[in-house]
Each structure stands twice: as C-alpha cells, then as structure tokens.
Amino acid sequence: MGFWPFSRKPSKDVAKQRLQVILKYDRAGLPPNSVEALKNAILNALKDFPFVDVSGVKINFPQNEREEKIELEIPVKADK
Amino acid sequence: MKDKVFCVTSGKGGVGKSTITGNIATALAMQGYKVVAIDADIGLRNLDLVLGLENRIVYDIVHVIEGTCPPEKALVKDKKTKNLFLLPAAQTKDKSAVKPENMIAIVESLREKFDFMFIDSPAGIEDGFKTAVAAADGVLVVTNPEMASIRDADRVTGLCEAMGKPEPKLIVNRLDPVKVKRGDMLDVDDVMQILGLELIGIVPEDKSMVAYINRGQPAVLEKDSLAGKALRNIADRLLGKDVPFMKLDSENGFLSKFKKLFGGS
C-alpha cells in the first residue's frame, strides 16, 4: 500500500532509473543532455531510411557492468 | 597473499564509514586477530569516538610522520578488545599533513606485526581520500541506499580503479526493510545492479547505533544487535568465510509487529 493510491510508481524505481542515467553520464564524463542530443541527431539521420521504424529507436545503457557503452536499438519495419 | 590492509571509503560523508571501520576492526580483534584501525580523516577525527578511546590519545599519525615517535608508540591500545589498536588522526592539522607516501610508509612498517589494518578514509575525493586509499590492498565502499550516496560511491569506485586498486567491495549501510517494502528505498539488489560491485555486507538501520556510539561501545560487542551481527558477518567474509547474507524483511520491524497485533497485514 502506497501513500499515493493506484497512480504512482514506487519512488525507489524512479531513483533507480535516474541513477542509471546519471551514472552513465558521470562515468563517461558526458556533458548533460549530450545523449539526448546524440539520439536526436541519429533520429534525423535515420529518417532517410524507410525500412527503419523511427518511433521505436531506443538508446540503452547496458546495466550491471561498469563499461562505458551506449547501445542503440534500431528496429526494422517487418513488412518491408 | 590474502589482503590485509583495507581502506573504508564512500565519497559522501555521514554514511557510516567510521562506525563500520571501528566495528569490523573490533569484530576481527574479538576473534583473536591483531588489528590496527587507522584514522585518516586528519582534522576531523572520529574513529576514536566510535571505539571510546578519545581520552587515551597521546600521539597521532602526524607525530609519526614528523618523527616525534615511531608508529608503534602512537598506537592506542583498545580497552575493551584485546589485540585492537587505533592510530589516531591529528585533530589540529589539515589533510595535507599526510601524503600518500607517508601513509604507505606507516602501513608498511606495521604490516608484518598485524593480521589486519583498516584505514578510515575522509569523505570527499580529494587528496585526503587518495592518501587513505594509497596504502590499501583492498577497498570497501560504504553506501546508503539513497541517490546521493550511491552516486558518490560510484565516483570513488572509478577513482580507485584509476589508482590501480582492485574493484572495491560494497557495503550497503542503513538499509531499512520497512522503507524498502513501502517502495521508498532501493533494495540491495538495486544498489548492486546500479553500482556493479560485489557485495560484502548489508547493515540494517539500527536505532540503537547512536547509543552505542554515545557509549563508545561498538555494536559488534552487543550480542542482540542486528547491525552488530551484520558487521560481524562482514568480518567473517573478510576472513574468507562463506557467510550467507541476513534475511532482512520488514516483518521484524516494530511497525509490522504493531500491525500484526492489531490484525493488519
């Protein structure tokens, strides 16, 4: 039972999500929002390729490892 | 060779470094090992309080470096636990009074005479921290299950690796099972996953901790203290024993007992 009925997700999940992003930036010494900017630039470039499902492009931070790495997930449209 | 010199560090202040250092050192000395605890927090010494030794200090680490006395002479013998010694920090100097090479020289001169040495690091990531880590074979990173502490623990982990130290072992301090159950505190698995470090201890939040420090009586000396048991377990793991992690569920908490009493879940 939470203080906020029904709606809110546990604050610890928010903390975990935020920390995973913060630590990626900290470890790699990246300036704030630089990954967001990278993602936007990639999205722009991907618009020229019709087989790419742009709405499904994801940037992932692999967890559970201290390696400095960003993963890019580019889904391909199945019906092409 | 098994690691015998450990630096206890955290980045963030106030997460329980000195308490944990004093307690693990005491727990090992209780088992008959010869242990020295070194307070590397020059200017803000506190390890003496945890051990209840503040009135017995004659010389400190800076006296040793200045050549006023040899390291052995500066050691304060613990009054409750045989085999335990404290090398106090200087209270009136600043962190620049001890350099990494000084710490290494002191540790090396004592290494053969002790089974374990624990260096209580100052908070921060500046020279004082680097001096504390410099002489250590292994690093124990202490964190609380909250955001700022975890972020800082990650920073010191990166710095330790940059200094060529082996990957630190993780101690999660002040875990409150009731808050975890409520969804307002990261659990140990979350913290491990975020930091990517091997766990060596989980110390539950213990309201009596402040009283133990008030009395200068480390929790590991108290049979009934849950935190004391968790800290004794860490000492055992440092000895290479395979001790399972304590099951900490909120059912042991006062609140849940209270709820049960009144028929709640």
Side-chain angles (χ1 to χ4, degrees):
Chain A
M1 188 194 71
F3 181 71
W4 306 92
F6 313 119
S7 58
R8 298 227 175 166
K9 73 168 163 182
S11 73
K12 80 166 188 100
D13 291 348
V14 182
K16 188 174 178 181
Q17 224 167 38
R18 289 176 65 203
L19 273 166
Q20 283 172 329
V21 175
I22 291 164
L23 294 195
K24 269 298 152 187
Y25 276 87
D26 282 359
R27 284 172 191 171
L30 301 171
N33 296 320
S34 53
V35 175
E36 216 25 56
L38 173 72
K39 185 178 174 182
N40 289 336
I42 290 168
L43 284 178
N44 263 327
L46 290 176
K47 278 180 193 149
D48 298 337
F49 301 89
F51 60 89
V52 170
D53 177 10
V54 178
S55 65
V57 171
K58 271 193 217 147
I59 285 196
N60 298 320
F61 300 107
Q63 302 307 335
N64 226 350
E65 48 185 304
R66 298 192 56 82
E67 203 182 336
E68 282 143 24
K69 190 164 74 176
I70 297 168
E71 277 172 5
L72 186 63
E73 201 179 304
I74 305 176
V76 173
K77 284 178 185 162
D79 55 347
K80 292 277 159 181
Chain B
M1 186 200 70
K2 201 158 53 85
D3 289 348
K4 68 153 79 168
V5 185
F6 293 93
C7 178
V8 182
T9 191
S10 66
K12 190 175 179 301
V15 302
K17 276 183 304 296
S18 298
T19 307
I20 284 177
T21 308
N23 273 281
I24 299 177
T26 303
L28 285 163
M30 282 162 67
Q31 295 199 36
Y33 294 95
K34 218 176 156 195
V35 184
V36 60
I38 301 176
D39 192 345
D41 200 350
I42 314 303
L44 292 168
R45 76 177 172 210
N46 280 326
L47 190 51
D48 52 337
L49 299 181
V50 174
L51 298 171
L53 295 175
E54 67 277 8
N55 290 328
R56 302 196 165 204
I57 297 171
V58 181
Y59 298 107
D60 60 50
I61 191 166
V62 174
H63 289 124
V64 175
I65 291 161
E66 287 168 345
T68 311
C69 70
E72 288 89 337
K73 206 175 164 190
L75 296 179
V76 182
K77 198 175 176 330
D78 192 87
K79 54 186 179 195
K80 295 187 204 75
T81 315
K82 222 181 134 204
N83 299 318
L84 178 61
F85 298 82
L86 168 72
L87 179 54
Q91 185 67 332
T92 53
K93 304 283 185 348
D94 65 66
K95 306 248 178 323
S96 63
V98 186
K99 306 250 180 304
E101 58 267 29
N102 303 134
M103 188 60 84
I104 292 169
I106 290 170
V107 164
E108 291 313 311
S109 75
L110 295 172
R111 185 185 276 273
E112 294 310 312
K113 300 180 186 83
F114 289 90
D115 299 307
F116 287 99
M117 304 171 79
F118 292 91
I119 303 166
D120 185 18
S121 157
I125 52 172
E126 296 80 21
D127 291 349
F129 151 77
K130 286 177 182 156
T131 295
V133 173
D137 306 327
V139 179
L140 308 177
V141 166
V142 182
T143 190
N144 296 159
E146 51 91 18
M147 292 191 70
S149 171
I150 292 171
R151 183 188 206 175
D152 292 2
D154 192 72
R155 278 285 280 153
V156 295
T157 298
L159 292 169
C160 288
E161 278 169 7
M163 289 168 77
K165 298 293 166 184
E167 190 175 275
K169 303 273 195 293
L170 179 66
I171 297 174
V172 178
N173 193 27
R174 296 201 188 126
L175 188 88
D176 184 340
V178 177
K179 285 187 188 156
V180 171
K181 198 178 177 193
R182 203 170 62 202
D184 283 332
M185 182 177 271
L186 292 158
D187 65 31
V188 174
D189 290 337
D190 293 327
V191 180
M192 281 170 69
Q193 204 181 63
I194 293 165
L195 289 173
L197 294 176
E198 189 195 320
L199 188 70
I200 195 164
I202 308 165
V203 185
E205 171 77 48
D206 187 337
K207 299 272 185 297
S208 306
M209 218 57 176
V210 64
Y212 299 141
I213 296 169
N214 285 346
R215 296 178 197 284
Q217 174 96 353
V220 291
L221 297 172
E222 306 285 335
K223 270 203 187 68
D224 298 330
S225 160
L226 199 61
K229 184 172 192 303
L231 289 155
R232 287 194 299 272
N233 285 349
I234 298 175
D236 282 339
R237 291 187 195 107
L238 288 178
L239 290 167
K241 291 183 197 164
D242 186 16
V243 188
F245 289 98
M246 260 191 248
K247 209 171 163 287
L248 298 170
D249 54 47
S250 51
E251 301 311 308
N252 296 326
F254 166 77
L255 205 65
S256 61
K257 276 183 195 149
F258 187 79
K259 276 188 197 154
K260 261 183 204 156
L261 199 66
F262 291 92
S265 55

